Amino acid sequence: MKLLYSFVCFLLFCPLMKTTAQETTVVEKNQFKINLILPGVVYEHGFSDKNTLYSELSFGVGYSSSGFRGSTWSYYPTINEQYRHYYNIEKRAGKGKRTIGNSGDFYGLNTIYRFESINSNSNYSSSAPSITVAPVWGFQRTYKHNFNLSLNGGIGYKFDKYDGKVVPVINFTLGWVIGK
């Protein structure tokens, strides 16, 4: 009888129990990451329940091909700033999915500043600094052991000292959340 009573109490109160950190419906206040694909560091600051400022310093690689000059590569440092609005954190938490490490889908405004190329070899292209502004949509997932994956993209406008043009914007990062 005592076992039956304990079982009934468990069934009645089980839906009222909260799990730790999985049902959080707010973004992380401070999150540092290291990117591996294009080496860099990221700091993401949550300034409200669903909004963050994503700041990334990394190295980029560019490739261009023309009939006159042939194909060329360029290497350059970049600063990537994004305002992100995570719109499905409650839905993920309600389904029991991970929300830790800002795991969710977002849309936002992306601004990328690409510095002048750091190439010293004449076989490689040197490029002028540029700014690209784009609305983006993407997702970010932080898995066990703080492994992090993020992908976002959109269509933006790039301008430098020579001209401006519409360009695709894609940002893919693979790395680890540090400090947790």
Side-chain angles (χ1 to χ4, degrees), residues 9-164:
C9 286
F10 175 76
L11 289 178
L12 289 174
F13 293 109
C14 189
L16 301 176
M17 294 182 200
K18 282 197 162 199
T19 59
T20 61
Q22 285 296 346
E23 292 187 19
T24 181
T25 58
V26 297
V27 296
E28 302 284 342
K29 186 71 175 164
N30 298 296
Q31 180 168 272
F32 292 94
K33 297 187 290 186
I34 296 175
N35 292 335
L36 298 177
I37 295 179
L38 295 174
V41 293
V42 173
Y43 172 66
E44 191 171 3
H45 174 72
F47 57 87
S48 70
D49 289 352
K50 296 181 185 180
N51 300 310
T52 66
L53 181 63
Y54 172 98
S55 302
E56 176 182 9
L57 176 62
S58 64
F59 285 95
V61 177
Y63 175 80
S64 64
S65 178
S66 71
F68 178 69
R69 292 179 48 190
S71 60
T72 58
W73 290 89
S74 61
Y75 303 95
Y76 46 85
T78 64
I79 294 176
N80 185 353
E81 293 290 331
Q82 290 183 2
Y83 163 80
R84 291 181 171 181
H85 176 76
Y86 289 88
Y87 62 86
N88 74 331
I89 289 186
E90 292 99 354
K91 185 177 177 182
R92 288 183 59 81
K95 290 182 176 182
K97 294 182 178 181
R98 286 181 71 90
T99 58
I100 296 171
N102 299 344
S103 291
D105 300 345
F106 62 87
Y107 58 83
L109 183 62
N110 190 22
T111 303
I112 303 167
Y113 181 75
R114 187 180 80 182
F115 291 89
E116 187 172 346
S117 175
I118 58 174
N119 298 346
S120 60
N121 187 333
S122 63
N123 293 331
Y124 293 96
S125 169
S126 63
S127 59
S130 66
I131 294 177
T132 304
V133 178
V136 293
W137 175 88
F139 66 90
Q140 175 171 258
R141 301 292 185 266
T142 302
Y143 300 102
K144 291 182 181 178
H145 308 294
N146 292 335
F147 178 72
N148 183 270
L149 167 80
S150 180
L151 175 66
N152 63 75
I155 301 293
Y157 190 76
K158 174 185 169 185
F159 51 97
D160 58 25
K161 66 181 181 179
Y162 301 112
D163 65 352

